Amino acid sequence: MIVGAGFAGYRTAQTLSREAKGRAEIVLLNPTDYFLYLPLLPQVAAGILEPRRVTVSLSGTLPHVKLVLGEAGRIDLDAREVHYTDPEGEDGTLSYDRLVLTAGSVNKLLPIPGVAEHAHGFRGLPEALYLRDHVTRQVELAAATDDPERCASRCTFVVVGAGYTGTEVAAHGQLFTDAQVARQPLRTGMRPRWILLDIADRVLPELDERLSRTADTVLRERGVDVRMGTSVKEATPDGVLLTDGEFVGTRTLVWCVGVRPDPLAESLGLPMERGRLLVDPHLQVPGRPEVFACGDAAAVPDLEKPGSYTPMTAQHAWRQGTVCARNIAASFGDGERKAYRHKDLGFVVDLGGVKAAANPLGVNLSGIAAGAVTRGYHLAAMPGNRVRVAADWLLDAVLPRQAVQLGLVRSWSVPLDTASPEVARVPGGPRDDRPSPAADGTPAEDAARSSAEDTPPADDALTPPPDQPEPGPDVAPGPVRRTDRPSEGDA
């Protein structure tokens, strides 16, 4: 029984099905019927890739794995049962002989006033689709207004967090909006403004300083306003108050400060390490030999750096999935179990266009060479859709992007404080009643590096205002009129 189909869960299921060769029943529980290739999500928000390009069908690529659609709500370790809720709100129970917890991670919410109400994360496909529509809408509304202050506010986009995700969102976002205003000019002297904030002293603080400098240079040359040592002190409907005292008028706040493990892991009542389930080097839970965990939900000892744990990256999750599957097979007498060890293969950061920063096998690259390596790496790492992704990249290189609003995902359907960013909320749909720990009250300047948790979702974050029509066969879930914002645009 595998809970979650992220990098770790998908790889575990794929490897285990090959090892089992039909001798075991493998069940995969996941809220969606696809594996999401997260590293390319910024390109979906920027209109480079179509949404289905970064999704890989679970049933289509895992033919010997039974897919069960649903979200795990409670796990009874003594009875060896997983209780879940399917997409239509029906409850179900699954039993297991071996359990693999690969629930992944969700947005980290810090105790900053207004952030939960006015910011949006970037962990799931619905959030990327919302951001693409929202950015397009703001540029179109800005081009149509005669008020310079309102135009500037709509064309200012604030991204908090200069890690992988935030850096790529800001880099791609600046190119996306510049392309829009080239065809639909704004008021004289105005252009879209992307601001990248982080309390760290440099962009991509987790990478080598040379890669960090490369990314910083590309961002600044492109026009991104990079502000290190600065974060958000308060968010309001009309803008954000920064920690340096400046108020920035904006209608867009993208929250990329980091992630925290899925709260499902903490609900088990087992030993934890900063929200992650403690496991041994063989990815088994001490005292529970039938329970395995890997990926972002697990604190896996780093044997290359004694005393520390492997970071929450897709690279580790993918390789841990392989080891986990083989150790499960070994627990049934097929082969010998092995401890998880790794060697750093390097990192790649796509900065849009032909620009990137990469250090494959420790070799630092920038410019076109880094761009080629980055895209080659993604094509090799994806478990499917390689030809379609390459085709979209080719089309984007020779054709202008289609900046249109589909209107399928609205603000209230992708709240920041949710335990399931991969699922857009709909009126009348099943409530998110999974565990969701509250923020710990750490000051904002220090909490960006802490394990601060999400607060429970508010009712009005999951349902539209009462004066909105109920979605049906002919009614999309929106637009939404908010009482705290002028009615001419969706927040």
Side-chain angles (χ1 to χ4, degrees):
M1 175 73 189
I2 303 169
V3 178
F7 280 90
Y10 183 91
R11 187 59 173 173
T12 300
Q14 184 184 59
T15 305
L16 191 56
S17 64
R18 294 172 182 170
E19 297 284 331
K21 299 177 181 178
R23 295 173 293 169
E25 180 184 12
I26 305 169
V27 179
L28 178 60
L29 177 65
N30 198 59
T32 64
D33 64 351
Y34 59 80
F35 159 77
L36 176 64
Y37 190 75
L38 269 171
L40 292 181
L41 206 55
Q43 297 192 26
V44 173
I48 299 173
L49 297 176
E50 288 302 309
R52 286 187 297 174
R53 303 295 187 257
V54 299
T55 60
V56 178
S57 169
L58 295 176
S59 57
T61 56
L62 301 174
H64 303 298
V65 176
K66 178 182 177 181
L67 172 63
V68 177
L69 291 178
E71 293 187 60
R74 183 172 65 88
I75 298 177
D76 189 332
L77 296 176
D78 294 327
R80 297 194 179 188
E81 292 180 339
V82 176
H83 300 269
Y84 71 95
T85 303
D86 72 16
E88 295 183 347
E90 298 292 330
D91 295 329
T93 303
L94 297 167
S95 59
Y96 62 84
D97 295 302
R98 299 290 187 276
L99 173 68
V100 185
L101 185 63
T102 58
S105 56
V106 297
N107 295 310
K108 179 191 290 184
L109 181 62
L110 304 182
I112 300 175
V115 165
E117 295 79 12
H118 304 293
H120 289 280
F122 203 80
R123 289 294 299 167
L125 194 56
E127 293 170 321
L129 292 175
Y130 165 75
L131 182 61
R132 185 170 70 176
D133 271 8
H134 175 76
V135 169
T136 301
R137 181 184 308 116
Q138 295 309 308
V139 173
E140 291 173 345
L141 291 173
T145 184
D146 293 325
D147 185 341
E149 183 176 344
R150 182 169 296 181
C151 178
S153 174
R154 291 194 181 281
C155 280
T156 299
F157 308 94
V158 178
V159 181
V160 185
Y164 291 105
T165 302
T167 299
E168 291 188 346
V169 168
H172 282 282
Q174 187 73 65
L175 289 179
F176 182 46
T177 51
D178 283 350
Q180 281 185 263
V181 300
R183 297 189 298 271
Q184 191 174 22
L186 301 175
R187 294 175 58 86
T188 302
M190 285 192 174
R191 64 166 294 191
R193 177 190 182 198
W194 285 77
I195 303 176
L196 181 61
L197 308 173
D198 201 299
I199 62 171
D201 58 359
R202 60 187 176 92
V203 173
L204 299 171
E206 62 272 35
L207 296 188
D208 181 90
E209 288 191 18
R210 285 173 291 184
L211 293 182
S212 177
R213 287 196 298 270
T214 297
D216 186 273
T217 300
V218 171
L219 290 171
R220 294 180 189 275
E221 289 178 349
R222 192 167 290 169
V224 177
D225 186 354
V226 180
R227 301 191 187 187
M228 296 294 97
T230 308
S231 189
V232 173
K233 185 175 182 180
E234 181 181 0
T236 72
D238 300 313
V240 292
L241 177 63
L242 305 184
T243 53
D244 62 6
E246 180 184 354
F247 182 84
V248 177
T250 181
R251 304 295 179 89
T252 309
L253 179 58
V254 187
W255 195 251
C256 303
V257 298
V259 296
R260 64 176 177 84
D262 191 292
L264 178 65
E266 192 169 8
S267 70
L268 298 179
L270 296 172
M272 308 292 292
E273 172 62 33
R274 297 178 66 86
R276 303 166 74 185
L277 189 62
L278 272 174
V279 298
D280 62 23
H282 301 93
L283 309 178
Q284 287 179 283
V285 176
R288 291 283 182 177
E290 78 281 3
V291 180
F292 294 75
C294 54
D296 290 354
V300 181
D302 191 340
L303 300 183
E304 301 297 320
K305 300 177 181 178
S308 62
Y309 299 92
T310 58
M312 298 164 64
T313 66
Q315 190 178 121
H316 281 293
W318 188 258
R319 289 187 282 180
Q320 287 170 7
T322 301
V323 174
C324 182
R326 291 173 178 167
N327 286 347
I328 291 173
S331 72
F332 286 103
D334 189 352
E336 296 182 1
R337 68 175 190 160
K338 296 182 179 180
Y340 175 71
R341 289 183 177 273
H342 72 94
K343 291 185 178 180
D344 190 359
L345 300 179
F347 298 93
V348 296
V349 182
D350 191 336
L351 301 175
V354 297
K355 299 297 180 68
N359 64 340
L361 302 177
V363 180
N364 291 298
L365 300 174
S366 61
I368 297 178
V373 168
T374 298
R375 295 204 166 182
Y377 169 81
H378 287 315
L379 286 180
M382 288 192 70
N385 292 348
R386 296 186 181 94
V387 174
R388 290 186 172 92
V389 169
D392 273 5
W393 283 341
L394 177 61
L395 291 175
D396 181 68
V398 298
L399 297 175
R401 298 181 196 175
Q402 293 178 295
V404 296
Q405 303 176 49
L406 299 179
L408 300 178
V409 182
R410 292 297 182 176
S411 176
W412 50 264
S413 64
V414 284
L416 180 64
D417 51 344
T418 175
S420 303
E422 68 272 17
V423 179
R425 291 295 178 255
V426 296
R431 284 296 306 272
D432 184 4
D433 56 359
R434 300 168 60 199
S436 184
D440 61 7
T442 306
E445 288 78 3
D446 296 328
R449 293 195 181 96
S450 74
S451 58
E453 310 289 350
D454 284 352
T455 54
D459 288 348
D460 60 357
L462 303 182
T463 56
D467 60 341
Q468 300 301 310
E470 285 292 324
D474 302 311
V475 182
V480 174
R481 294 190 298 275
R482 294 183 58 173
T483 57
D484 61 351
R485 180 85 43 101
S487 61
E488 61 192 75
D490 183 347

